[in-house]
Amino acid sequence: MHRFIEQVVGAICGTAGAGERRRGHTLHAMHLCLFYAGALSCMVLGTGCKVGPDFAPPQTQLQETWVGSTTLGAAEEECDLSQWWTCFEDPVLTSLIQRAAQSNLDLKLAEARIRQARASRGIVSSGLGPMLDASGSFRRGQSPGFLEGTSGPTTNLYQSGFDANWELDLFGGVRRSEEASGADLRAAIEARESVLVTLAAEVALHYTELCGLREQISIAQRNLKTQQHNADLTSERFEGGFVSGLDVANAEAQAATTAGQIPLLEQAARQAIYSLSLLLGHEPGALLEELSHSGSIPAPPPAVPVGVPSELLRRRPDIRQAEALLHGATARIGVAIADLFPKISLSGTLGTQSTESGSLTDGANRSWSVGPSVSWALFATGRIRANIELQKAFREESLATYQK
């Protein structure tokens, strides 16, 4: 990199005579600029000077035991909570949840937000390093002549050069922004985990509901067969004079009521299949043939590892997401406070211009400049202070959300 910079500077500054001396001065100035910029940046990053509050996870006081009696759960290795549905030992349920994790649209949205947050962190992190721009242009024009009614000669203008700028993060505004974007990335990851937890629960809920409805339909069909047989017997006994017409009407009404319940149960079963299809990212009727004859209700495991309240707190991705959002809101207070202080940048330009392309590299046509610059918002009619208060209010909101 050092050799590359020297070659670029040498190409623009010339290589012989007075150009050689000018090249030496230019290289010396550029070397000093790079040395001091690197040293100052290392000093700033090494000391870690960052304004604003440092984030600390909220201290939550939790009880060691649950309120009320709780049966101790199974051991962790007997039922992996990250894939709790495998404890039911139902291959159809396992297949549905695995397929949903691959094709659910809400999960794809959450994954896209993770990529957005990761790219945003990369954009913010780039502010810690120098920026180098290269430019080149060609213009052809004509100016008025000295005498009235005449025109000057047509000329060409060739220009090329480099512009460099490096804002020194003396007060940590960029690093606080990078910290906030990192927290946003963690929040996006936890949001995706929260969607996955909810998705698995919804798939399992609709699947067990479908299995339960199938059981109800089967029971209703058996009852209907029995009730129709009973109605026929009652009708025969009525013809023999053993029972009244009211008994016949009651038996037929009971059979008709059961027969009317079966279509409602079948409609509810189809609705459960439609919901499962949508959860898997398909059309509503995509799973009708596959799930038309679902199995029995999955048998639950004998026990589930419950643990203690503090363990549950760390297992829940929505709580971890709220903590990450609180971290980001805290870091953005530092970003806002950094606007109260001056911004110092090191900038430099290296360029050349000529009316002929062949003389573009001549020493007389080259120019360069290097040096620091300072900008300081001394008066902003309260905008900066108001922004600090705004970020503090956002942090209070995030803290309340976490506690909730």
Side-chain angles (χ1 to χ4, degrees):
M1 183 65 181
H2 175 85
R3 182 62 179 168
F4 172 75
I5 295 176
E6 184 174 340
Q7 292 176 351
V8 172
V9 174
I12 298 183
C13 295
T15 56
E20 180 70 25
R21 291 190 297 272
R22 181 177 298 153
R23 173 178 174 271
H25 293 311
T26 304
L27 285 176
H28 180 67
M30 293 293 288
H31 289 170
L32 285 178
C33 177
L34 292 174
F35 173 77
Y36 287 124
L40 184 56
S41 298
C42 291
M43 179 184 68
V44 171
L45 296 177
T47 55
C49 175
K50 293 189 290 186
V51 297
D54 293 325
F55 174 74
Q59 298 297 324
T60 305
Q61 299 295 331
L62 295 175
Q63 297 178 353
E64 295 297 331
T65 58
W66 299 100
V67 177
S69 60
T70 302
T71 303
L72 294 178
E76 286 285 339
E77 58 270 14
E78 295 180 6
C79 185
D80 184 8
L81 287 180
S82 64
Q83 295 185 352
W84 53 265
W85 53 88
T86 58
C87 300
F88 292 96
E89 298 181 354
D90 189 314
V92 178
L93 174 61
T94 301
S95 174
L96 289 173
I97 293 180
Q98 290 176 346
R99 288 150 60 188
Q102 296 175 354
S103 58
N104 180 261
L105 298 181
D106 289 330
L107 202 59
K108 290 182 180 297
L109 289 174
E111 291 170 352
R113 294 189 185 102
I114 292 177
R115 293 192 293 271
Q116 294 171 16
R118 185 174 289 114
S120 297
R121 186 185 62 173
I123 294 173
V124 173
S125 299
S126 66
L128 292 172
M131 306 294 293
L132 179 64
D133 298 326
S135 62
S137 65
F138 166 73
R139 294 182 180 179
R140 181 177 178 84
Q142 186 180 57
S143 59
F146 291 102
L147 300 178
E148 185 178 358
T150 63
S151 59
T154 302
T155 59
N156 299 328
L157 181 62
Y158 299 88
Q159 291 180 321
S160 64
F162 295 95
D163 294 318
N165 185 71
W166 193 350
E167 180 180 342
L168 304 179
D169 192 27
L170 294 177
F171 302 99
V174 179
R175 279 169 289 158
R176 286 296 190 193
S177 183
E178 183 186 33
E179 179 184 352
S181 60
D184 291 342
L185 175 58
R186 292 194 302 274
I189 293 174
E190 297 299 344
R192 188 259 181 194
E193 293 298 318
S194 182
V195 172
L196 183 59
V197 169
T198 305
L199 174 63
E202 288 292 325
V203 172
L205 177 63
H206 288 296
Y207 177 74
T208 54
E209 179 185 0
L210 174 62
C211 294
L213 289 169
R214 293 296 186 193
E215 291 286 346
Q216 294 182 53
I217 292 173
S218 178
I219 294 173
Q221 289 175 343
R222 292 197 299 268
N223 289 340
L224 177 61
K225 184 177 180 181
T226 302
Q227 291 166 3
Q228 286 177 342
H229 179 67
N230 183 50
D232 293 340
L233 290 178
T234 304
S235 179
E236 293 177 359
R237 295 181 66 187
F238 171 74
E239 293 176 358
F242 295 100
V243 296
S244 65
L246 179 61
D247 294 329
V248 175
N250 288 336
E252 292 177 348
Q254 187 177 16
T257 300
T258 302
Q261 291 176 347
I262 293 177
L264 297 178
L265 293 173
E266 292 176 343
Q267 181 181 1
R270 286 194 300 271
Q271 184 62 47
I273 296 177
Y274 296 158
S275 299
L276 285 170
S277 300
L278 293 176
L279 288 173
L280 268 64
H282 302 319
E283 294 295 327
L287 300 179
L288 277 175
E289 182 177 355
E290 177 182 351
L291 300 178
S292 59
H293 302 285
S294 56
S296 58
I297 301 176
V304 177
V306 178
V308 297
S310 59
E311 294 177 356
L312 177 63
L313 187 69
R314 300 312 306 171
R315 284 203 301 259
R316 286 183 51 174
D318 57 334
I319 295 180
R320 298 197 300 267
Q321 177 190 4
E323 181 179 311
L325 292 175
L326 176 60
H327 187 178
T330 303
R332 287 187 175 88
I333 297 177
V335 178
I337 294 176
D339 291 337
L340 292 173
F341 299 92
K343 299 183 183 297
I344 301 176
S345 302
L346 294 176
S347 59
T349 61
L350 198 62
T352 179
Q353 67 177 23
S354 174
T355 58
E356 298 179 0
S357 60
S359 62
L360 193 61
T361 58
D362 292 348
N365 296 328
R366 299 183 185 91
S367 62
W368 63 271
S369 65
V370 62
S373 62
V374 179
S375 62
W376 196 351
L378 295 177
F379 181 71
T381 63
R383 178 184 59 84
I384 297 177
R385 295 286 184 183
N387 186 39
I388 295 175
E389 295 301 321
L390 175 64
Q391 300 305 323
K392 289 181 179 179
F394 282 147
R395 183 188 181 279
E396 294 175 1
E397 178 186 2
S398 299
L399 177 59
T401 301
Y402 173 83
Q403 293 171 341
K404 180 180 177 180

